[in-house]
Amino acid sequence: MTTLDVPAVVDPSDAPRDDFVMRFDPAAIKHLGLQMYSTLPPVIAELVANAWDAGASNVHIEVPDGHLNDESRIVVTDDGDGMDDTDVREAYLIVGRDRRRDEKADRRKTPPLRKVMGRKGIGKFAGFGIARQVEIESVKNGHVSRFLMDYELMEKAVETREVRFPPLGPTGTVTKGTKVTLKQIGKFRTRSIDIAGLRRGLARRFSVIDSNFTVSVNSVPITAAERDLTRLLEVDADGERYLWTYENIEIAPGTGWRVSGWIGALDRTSKLEDGIQRGIVVMARGKLVQEPFVFNATVGQQYALSYIIGELHAEFVDEAEDSVGTTRNSLVWDTEPNSAFHRWGEREINTIAREWAARRSRDNEKNLKQNESYRRFVDATKDMENQRARKVADKLIRDVVNRNVVAKPQETDEIVQLCIDFLEYDAFWDLAEDLTEARVEDTGRLAQLFREWEVVEAKEMARVTQGRITTIEKLQKLIEDNALEVPVLHDFLKQFPWVLDPRWQLVADELRYSKILRDNFPEGTEVPEKDRRIDFLCVRESDTLVVVEIKRPHSVVSMNELGQIEQYVHFMRHHIRSATDGDYSAKKVVGYLLCGRVANSYGPTEKVQSLHKDDIHVRFYSDLLGMVQRTHADFLQRYNELRRLKEDRSN
């Protein structure tokens, strides 16, 4: 129960009441509700904005803790002015009503005197972005108006373009203000509502949340600290935050278009609070009117944009002319004031990015002196005979650290350790000297230096390739033995998935999906031992889930086995599409059947070709070694060419 849940109010009128009527375009409801509001924070934000406009001092938001079901409710209650039947009929249910025009002013007429946030009269539809029913109960001067807006009824009113909502009796839980209840919520059935994320989203969407306007989520008020993102900003080597502030800055002389607020750079080394979006929000009338963005800036220090956040207040974007988009979370940039604002913001971002990079470079230089790895380098090289090599290596360390303004401490440790390990080799410090002296404009010299490193990298990759071929030869022995040691073969393929497809260098073993397949497709005992599969193997490459069914090396597959792998892949595709697990975002499911050979007849041969078009492939054990050798043949040839080129240059 919230502080607004009180004994029932008796409606003073016992006379029959007419239905509440809304006239609308059904397509508009779909676009303004289901499609524009698909996540919880903006949905709730619209209801909070309505409470502000109604003069509320307190808004209570109740959200379920845990997975939702058919009985779950999300409730937003305020203690504002409320509405009687006349207000509902002549104002609330008018689609597209311009509240500011109707009131002929942009402020309330009675305390608290506020600029209203709403303008287009479409916020009432926000709830349909996540729910099928929105119940309104409002009390004004003791009169209760309660009705249920049902999206299904609104969908059916395509021809009449009119829907009627019968008045309902009071629940007795509201004495003043409005209570909005979202019902039949389609989301959050397999995952819980991120309450912390909802709090952060609301905190960043409203600058008016304070002691005079409190917003609570499950009885816990949102605090000023939750709005203060400057606490996340990085601190430089001198103890100063990476923060740029603006106080009533006129963005174009003589226009009166003024901006206040701040822009800062996040700490690049610490883990950010989950859900904090990079970019700058724009506020007007105390509410977000532009989602986080960076004014489409394209700067030389492009990586700086990944760290920039901020909050700018620009009242002129939401004054006489409506230059805020329909969703109320993005600006229309082709108006004269907004275009000037965009140009100003782009210039500021460019300046901040350059200043940020310069400060980061100075910080790196100062921090390097305190780095333990660098201190070890200094101690290890202070008495070495070849002082020229030491100076070259030291200069290389400083240059690399200063140029890489987003380097983490461990990256500095790596370059320092590299210098310590290879300092004794003449070739290393000669190359280090070339790198530190090379100018970016000297493209010919840089190309030559990169060629040196290309040879080194090619040599290392050739060694890896040779190791792979050795691994394949071990697999060949398992194949010849018909994989009598089943766990060995299964574990081998898990460890070296690239033998199935050379592109699979780094993949993740998805044990839970392997288990799903085993649970849904258990292998019957009637399958002969020689034909049984070894196991399922599910791996993930980027956003692709790969389902591999492993047969024995001497197995012969027929239409039955080919149909099975097709069934497994189609099952997993359906499972992925219907899953809502945010930790897994596979966009594609492909399949592989690993076997000895396919039965030599018309049906299986045609089936293999059909499966291939459906991203389901058949691999033979006997082909694996040759496939990998062919795949790497071009690379080995390229390495030999580079080696000969280096020898010719040396001569």
Side-chain angles (χ1 to χ4, degrees):
M1 298 289 287
T2 70
T3 57
L4 299 183
D5 290 332
V6 296
V9 176
V10 178
D11 193 326
S13 175
D14 293 328
R17 299 159 65 191
D18 294 334
D19 291 343
F20 296 106
V21 180
M22 176 187 288
R23 296 177 177 85
F24 62 95
D25 181 347
I29 306 302
K30 181 178 181 180
H31 293 309
L32 299 178
L34 268 68
Q35 296 183 356
M36 285 191 355
Y37 300 94
S38 58
T39 58
L40 191 56
V43 170
I44 302 300
E46 287 299 327
L47 302 179
V48 173
N50 288 346
W52 168 269
D53 290 347
S57 299
N58 302 281
V59 182
H60 297 277
I61 304 163
E62 300 174 21
V63 296
D65 187 5
H67 294 182
L68 274 61
N69 55 41
D70 292 341
E71 304 303 318
S72 298
R73 303 286 188 266
I74 295 176
V75 183
V76 179
T77 312
D78 68 64
D79 60 357
D81 296 337
M83 300 178 291
D84 56 23
D85 280 9
T86 300
D87 295 326
V88 172
R89 299 180 198 280
E90 298 181 1
Y92 185 79
L93 292 182
I94 303 300
V95 179
R97 164 180 171 261
D98 189 337
R99 177 170 184 173
R100 302 181 196 177
R101 182 196 62 199
D102 291 347
E103 293 183 351
K104 299 180 181 180
D106 62 358
R107 291 185 182 273
R108 289 170 46 79
K109 298 302 183 182
T110 58
L113 302 179
R114 297 170 173 171
K115 284 189 174 183
V116 298
M117 294 178 179
R119 179 190 287 267
K120 297 179 181 295
I122 63 173
K124 63 179 71 67
F125 300 127
F128 291 122
I130 62 171
R132 301 291 291 183
Q133 293 183 341
V134 179
E135 180 183 297
I136 308 295
E137 183 173 10
S138 193
V139 178
K140 181 177 181 181
N141 299 326
H143 181 91
V144 182
S145 298
R146 177 171 170 248
F147 58 97
L148 180 70
M149 295 193 297
D150 191 313
Y151 188 77
E152 184 176 352
L153 294 178
M154 299 166 74
E155 281 185 310
K156 293 179 179 178
V158 175
E159 299 297 332
T160 63
R161 296 174 177 256
E162 177 181 293
V163 64
R164 293 178 175 272
F165 306 124
L168 304 175
T171 63
T173 60
V174 184
T175 57
K176 182 179 185 296
T178 301
K179 178 179 179 181
V180 179
T181 304
L182 306 183
K183 302 179 179 181
Q184 293 187 13
I185 302 167
K187 297 190 175 185
F188 313 110
R189 297 302 178 102
T190 59
R191 57 187 175 91
S192 302
I193 293 176
D194 180 5
I195 295 177
L198 172 61
R199 295 178 63 88
R200 286 193 299 270
L202 293 175
R204 201 172 187 190
R205 278 174 165 80
F206 294 97
S207 63
V208 294
I209 297 177
D210 56 20
S211 59
N212 296 317
F213 183 68
T214 64
V215 178
S216 301
V217 179
N218 291 349
S219 302
V220 180
I222 295 174
T223 65
E226 291 176 90
R227 289 209 67 257
D228 182 20
L229 297 187
T230 60
R231 71 188 188 282
L232 301 177
L233 301 183
E234 185 172 16
V235 176
D236 65 19
D238 297 324
E240 299 293 330
R241 284 181 175 175
Y242 279 72
L243 176 65
W244 292 259
T245 58
Y246 305 90
E247 186 63 40
N248 210 27
I249 300 296
E250 190 173 43
I251 62 172
T255 62
W257 303 328
R258 297 185 178 277
V259 171
S260 297
W262 61 272
I263 300 175
L266 293 165
D267 186 345
R268 77 203 188 289
T269 60
S270 64
K271 182 178 180 181
L272 299 179
E273 293 185 20
D274 182 37
I276 298 298
Q277 288 182 273
R278 277 73 162 175
I280 300 157
V281 301
V282 179
M283 312 288 286
R285 298 172 177 256
K287 184 178 182 292
L288 179 147
V289 293
Q290 171 63 55
E291 295 274 7
F293 80 133
V294 289
F295 291 92
N296 298 329
T298 54
V299 296
Q301 296 79 14
Q302 194 70 19
Y303 40 76
L305 303 182
S306 300
Y307 299 90
I308 287 178
I309 62 171
E311 180 181 298
L312 297 177
H313 295 257
E315 295 300 315
F316 63 87
V317 303
D318 197 19
E319 288 183 343
E321 182 179 358
D322 187 7
S323 62
V324 183
T326 302
T327 60
R328 311 302 295 171
N329 62 1
S330 62
L331 292 174
V332 177
W333 292 106
D334 58 1
T335 67
E336 185 179 357
N338 289 5
S339 294
F341 184 26
H342 195 282
R343 291 191 297 271
W344 174 86
E346 187 174 2
R347 290 194 301 269
E348 286 300 309
I349 295 298
N350 287 334
T351 300
I352 288 172
R354 288 192 295 268
E355 292 179 2
W356 175 84
R359 287 177 67 179
R360 284 293 318 127
S361 182
R362 290 194 296 270
D363 283 352
N364 287 347
E365 179 71 23
K366 292 179 180 180
N367 293 332
L368 181 62
K369 297 177 182 179
Q370 309 301 322
N371 184 279
E372 290 297 327
S373 296
Y374 182 71
R375 288 181 175 181
R376 288 198 305 272
F377 166 80
V378 172
D379 291 340
T381 60
K382 62 182 179 181
D383 296 326
M384 69 179 298
E385 182 177 347
N386 191 339
Q387 285 296 299
R388 176 179 169 232
R390 184 195 66 78
K391 291 180 180 179
V392 168
D394 183 72
K395 188 174 187 300
L396 176 62
I397 292 171
R398 292 178 179 275
D399 284 351
V400 171
V401 170
N402 287 339
R403 290 173 186 170
N404 188 4
V405 296
V406 296
K408 297 179 175 60
Q410 57 267 33
E411 295 177 34
T412 300
D413 294 342
E414 290 172 5
I415 184 63
V416 172
Q417 192 60 48
L418 179 68
C419 290
I420 293 175
D421 292 342
F422 293 95
L423 194 58
E424 61 184 279
Y425 299 105
D426 290 346
F428 171 76
W429 60 267
D430 283 343
L431 184 57
E433 187 173 45
D434 288 338
L435 285 171
T436 57
E437 294 178 356
R439 294 180 298 113
V440 175
E441 303 85 65
D442 188 359
T443 56
R445 180 57 178 155
L446 284 176
Q448 182 180 350
L449 294 172
F450 289 143
R451 179 66 66 190
E452 296 277 353
W453 284 112
E454 187 176 358
V455 171
V456 173
E457 183 181 24
K459 183 176 181 180
E460 178 63 16
M461 287 302 297
R463 182 186 62 80
V464 173
T465 300
Q466 198 63 46
R468 284 191 169 190
I469 294 176
T470 301
T471 301
I472 292 293
E473 291 171 346
K474 294 179 182 178
L475 174 63
Q476 196 75 11
K477 184 65 170 61
L478 294 175
I479 295 173
E480 292 171 357
D481 293 338
N482 198 24
L484 297 179
E485 299 170 336
V486 173
V488 174
L489 180 56
H490 182 257
D491 293 341
F492 183 96
L493 294 173
K494 286 171 58 177
Q495 184 177 2
F496 306 110
W498 47 264
V499 303
L500 300 176
D501 190 320
R503 296 170 299 178
W504 300 350
Q505 297 187 34
L506 294 173
V507 295
D509 184 18
E510 293 291 335
L511 295 176
R512 55 180 169 173
Y513 289 100
S514 300
K515 184 177 184 303
I516 289 173
L517 284 174
R518 283 195 295 272
D519 291 344
N520 284 273
F521 300 98
E523 193 165 41
T525 57
E526 71 278 5
V527 179
E529 179 67 19
K530 64 182 181 63
D531 293 330
R532 288 191 176 185
R533 66 171 182 253
I534 295 174
D535 203 355
F536 290 106
L537 177 65
C538 289
V539 297
R540 181 174 58 172
E541 182 199 30
S542 184
D543 60 353
T544 300
L545 177 68
V546 185
V547 177
V548 184
E549 186 184 19
I550 308 170
K551 295 289 187 180
R552 294 187 181 280
H554 294 177
S555 61
V556 180
V557 300
S558 61
M559 289 291 292
N560 184 46
E561 289 80 9
L562 295 173
Q564 286 177 342
I565 183 62
E566 183 180 36
Q567 186 178 10
Y568 304 152
V569 172
H570 288 176
F571 171 83
M572 290 308 301
R573 286 174 181 169
H574 173 75
H575 180 82
I576 292 299
R577 284 196 301 268
S578 60
T580 57
D581 186 356
D583 295 332
Y584 191 81
S585 56
K587 297 179 180 178
K588 185 178 180 182
V589 179
V590 302
Y592 282 82
L593 174 62
L594 183 61
C595 62
R597 63 185 178 87
V598 175
N600 188 19
S601 59
Y602 173 79
T605 302
E606 293 296 312
K607 185 66 173 178
V608 169
Q609 296 176 358
S610 173
L611 291 176
H612 181 72
K613 296 177 182 179
D614 194 24
D615 267 340
I616 302 174
H617 313 283
V618 177
R619 288 282 187 269
F620 298 154
Y621 286 95
S622 58
D623 294 338
L624 296 182
L625 179 60
M627 181 178 63
V628 175
Q629 288 173 328
R630 289 192 301 273
T631 302
H632 293 81
D634 291 342
F635 179 84
L636 291 170
Q637 179 182 353
R638 179 61 177 157
Y639 163 66
N640 289 327
E641 292 175 356
L642 290 170
R643 180 175 55 80
R644 287 193 297 270
L645 177 62
K646 181 173 176 60
E647 291 174 353
D648 293 341
R649 286 179 174 175
S650 298
N651 293 333

